[in-house]
């Protein structure tokens, strides 16, 4: 069986039913994940946690979700596992059950770690399937895949505000239906993947994977630059997803549900931006989208800490809209840079993104404890200026 990461196979046409099924599963997966930060105001009060302990919850989740992803991607490049996604969702389901019944801080950490393991299996394999279903529309396919995740991230806090906050932590158990539905959908996607592998097996003997024209040291420097850009994006997003509600409550006196609705608007903007970025990436070039997405958000992030409530909502929406368009372009750019290793590249970049989000949440939580929550947003507002690093990236036409 040839590696599923080979680029010898490409669908003649975009397999939209498969792509939509993967995106829907991503929506369900990330809805579950988004319940974790949405619970923070509730568990902070219930367990009398510090901001640093809140950050450790995120770090635990993001660590298990990030460290395993490159390994999963590397192994499945060599040995495809069409139904691995079903098993990953099983870990997520178990994590939800533990989370709904957790009555100690240690059990909270165990629960989020299990959800992280499920995520580490889901993302590189689902990204590979989106690549194979793209029909050449790589940025669009990754953006549709990401759109599902971003919509789930936006829906999670909304559901938490409507159900979990008023009714209590035990209602987290109601959401086990989401991974169950995803397991059914992903089983059908796995059957499609089996047929794809059969096509790959027939074509592998008549084609060979392309190699980058760039020397290895150049590829390494480009990957390092892309990771720095992801660092800037994810640290800022971590400040929003983990602490935006606390910022709104502390500065403007909003209630928990009102603050969750504001977080929903930020995450909704990110979902819209993801799709727009994917649509434009295949047309104007991935480097241009990355440049515009990271650096273009800076004026809005820099102004946000000094705005009133209305403009805070507007600026957060615009920052989320612009920043979110970057990741799909970065991922496809890296997949083209290192052909034939779709799983490894996807796992590496998704894993790094998750890891940076977790590290960012933990460090920003320490900063909030040492200073105040307003300082977190002032410091993080400068991160998108790292978009200036895009000057170093070559055009993707130079790769092959």
């Amino acid at each position: 069986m040839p590696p599923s990461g080979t680029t010898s196979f490409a669908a003649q046409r975009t397999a939209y039913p498969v792509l939509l099924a993967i995106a829907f599963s991503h929506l369900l997966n990330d809805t579950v994940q988004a319940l974790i930060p949405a619970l923070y105001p509730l568990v902070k009060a219930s367990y009398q946690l510090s901001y640093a302990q809140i950050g450790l919850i995120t770090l635990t989740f993001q660590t298990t979700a990030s460290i395993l992803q490159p390994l999963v991607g590397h192994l499945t490049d060599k040995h495809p596992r069409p139904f691995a996604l079903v098993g990953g969702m099983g870990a997520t389901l178990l994590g939800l059950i533990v989370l709904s019944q957790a009555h100690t801080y240690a059990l909270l950490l165990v629960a989020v770690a299990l959800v992280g393991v499920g995520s580490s299996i889901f993302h590189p394999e689902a990204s590979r399937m989106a690549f194979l279903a793209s029909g050449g529309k790589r940025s669009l396919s990754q953006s549709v895949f990401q759109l599902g995740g971003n919509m789930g991230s936006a829906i999670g806090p909304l559901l938490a505000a409507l159900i979990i906050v008023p009714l209590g932590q035990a209602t987290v158990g109601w959401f086990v239906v989401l991974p169950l539905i995803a397991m059914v959908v992903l089983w059908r996607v796995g059957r499609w993947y089996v047929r794809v592998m059969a096509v790959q097996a027939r074509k592998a003997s008549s084609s060979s994977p392309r190699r980058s024209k760039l020397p290895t040291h150049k590829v390494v420097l480009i990957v390092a630059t892309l990771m720095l850009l992801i660092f800037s994006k994810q640290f800022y997003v971590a400040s929003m997803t983990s602490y935006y509600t606390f910022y709104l409550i502390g500065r403007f006196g909003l209630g928990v549900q009102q603050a969750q609705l504001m977080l929903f608007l930020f995450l909704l903007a990110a979902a819209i931006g993801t799709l727009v970025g994917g649509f434009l990436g295949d047309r104007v070039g991935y480097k241009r989208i990355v440049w515009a997405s990271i650096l273009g958000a800076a004026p809005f992030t820099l102004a946000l800490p000094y705005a009133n409530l209305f403009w805070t909502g507007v600026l957060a929406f615009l920052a989320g809209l612009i920043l979110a368009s970057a990741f799909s372009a970065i991922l496809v750019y890296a997949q083209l840079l290192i052909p034939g290793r779709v799983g490894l590249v996807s796992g590496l970049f998704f894993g790094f993104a998750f890891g940076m989000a977790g590290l960012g949440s933990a460090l920003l939580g320490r900063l909030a404890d040492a200073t105040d929550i307003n300082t977190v947003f002032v410091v993080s507002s400068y991160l998108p200026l790292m978009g200036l690093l895009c000057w170093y990236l070559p055009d993707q036409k130079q790769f092959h």
Side-chain angles (χ1 to χ4, degrees):
M1 182 72 68
S4 65
T6 60
T7 56
S8 59
F9 171 78
Q12 296 298 315
R13 292 178 295 179
T14 305
Y16 285 108
V18 173
L19 192 55
L20 291 174
I22 297 168
F24 177 65
S25 300
H26 200 186
L27 183 152
L28 297 175
N29 181 79
D30 283 24
T31 297
V32 171
Q33 290 181 20
L35 295 177
I36 295 172
L39 280 168
Y40 288 169
L42 187 65
V43 298
K44 187 177 189 297
S46 299
Y47 297 91
Q48 298 182 335
L49 304 179
S50 67
Y51 284 117
Q53 287 175 306
I54 291 292
L56 183 58
I57 295 174
T58 301
L59 180 61
T60 300
F61 164 69
Q62 302 287 18
T63 299
T64 56
S66 62
I67 290 178
L68 294 178
Q69 286 201 41
L71 177 61
V72 170
H74 174 68
L75 291 176
T76 53
D77 275 336
K78 295 177 176 293
H79 308 288
R81 294 290 184 269
F83 302 104
L85 293 173
V86 178
M89 279 294 171
T92 298
L93 187 151
L94 181 59
L96 274 182
I97 294 173
V98 175
L99 184 60
S100 69
Q101 300 301 314
H103 298 297
T104 66
Y105 182 66
L107 274 179
L108 285 177
L109 296 180
V110 171
V112 300
L114 285 169
V115 176
V117 169
S119 178
S120 71
I121 297 171
F122 176 83
H123 284 93
E125 275 296 270
S127 180
R128 180 211 310 284
M129 293 185 187
F131 182 90
L132 292 175
S134 69
K137 298 177 181 178
R138 297 184 181 94
S139 182
L140 179 62
S141 68
Q142 288 295 334
S143 292
V144 171
F145 169 61
Q146 284 297 105
L147 176 64
N150 287 343
M151 288 298 293
S153 296
I155 291 170
L158 187 62
L159 292 177
L162 295 175
I163 299 174
I164 298 175
V165 171
L167 299 180
Q169 181 182 338
T171 57
V172 171
W174 297 1
F175 292 90
V176 296
V177 68
L178 302 184
L180 282 173
I181 294 171
M183 290 169 77
V184 174
V185 173
L186 291 171
W187 180 268
R188 294 180 64 84
V189 172
R191 293 174 60 187
W192 170 83
Y193 194 13
V194 170
R195 296 194 295 272
V196 168
M197 290 193 298
V199 174
Q200 287 181 311
R202 291 195 298 269
K203 292 192 174 184
S205 60
S206 59
S207 61
S208 58
R210 296 175 296 167
R211 296 182 180 276
S212 176
K213 291 182 179 179
L214 300 177
T216 301
H217 74 275
K218 182 78 169 178
V219 172
V220 170
L221 287 175
I222 293 171
V223 170
T225 302
L226 293 173
M227 288 190 166
L228 284 173
L229 293 172
I230 288 177
F231 159 81
S232 67
K233 173 186 180 295
Q234 293 302 119
F235 258 60
Y236 186 79
V237 171
S239 73
M240 297 297 287
T241 56
S242 293
Y243 303 111
Y244 186 43
T245 53
F246 295 115
Y247 175 78
L248 294 170
I249 291 168
R251 183 170 182 189
F252 300 112
L254 298 187
V256 173
Q257 288 182 310
Q258 291 174 303
Q260 292 286 12
L261 289 174
M262 292 281 283
L263 177 59
F264 166 75
L265 291 175
F266 169 79
L267 296 172
L268 177 63
I272 297 170
T274 297
L275 188 60
V276 172
F279 180 79
L280 294 176
D282 291 321
R283 289 162 174 76
V284 304
Y286 309 121
K287 176 183 175 180
R288 292 179 181 176
I289 293 297
V290 176
W291 182 282
S293 298
I294 304 294
L295 191 59
F300 307 106
T301 62
L302 289 168
L304 188 145
Y306 310 101
N308 60 25
L309 178 59
F310 172 79
W311 284 108
T312 293
V314 172
L315 292 169
F317 187 91
L318 292 173
L321 183 75
I322 296 170
L323 269 177
S325 60
F327 187 79
S328 294
I330 290 174
L331 183 59
V332 175
Y333 185 94
Q335 289 171 342
L336 295 175
L337 177 68
I338 310 174
R341 304 305 301 273
V342 174
L344 176 62
V345 170
S346 299
L348 178 64
F349 279 84
F350 272 109
F352 186 76
F354 275 67
M356 287 302 97
L359 181 61
S361 181
L363 292 179
L364 292 172
R366 290 266 183 189
L367 179 62
D369 284 333
T371 56
D372 55 56
I373 201 70
N374 292 346
T375 302
V376 169
F377 282 82
V378 172
V379 171
S380 62
S381 69
Y382 290 92
L383 290 169
L385 291 176
M386 292 182 70
L388 291 168
L389 292 170
C390 288
W391 70 266
Y392 178 75
L393 300 177
D395 191 274
Q396 60 265 22
K397 294 178 181 177
Q398 300 179 30
F399 295 167
H400 308 293

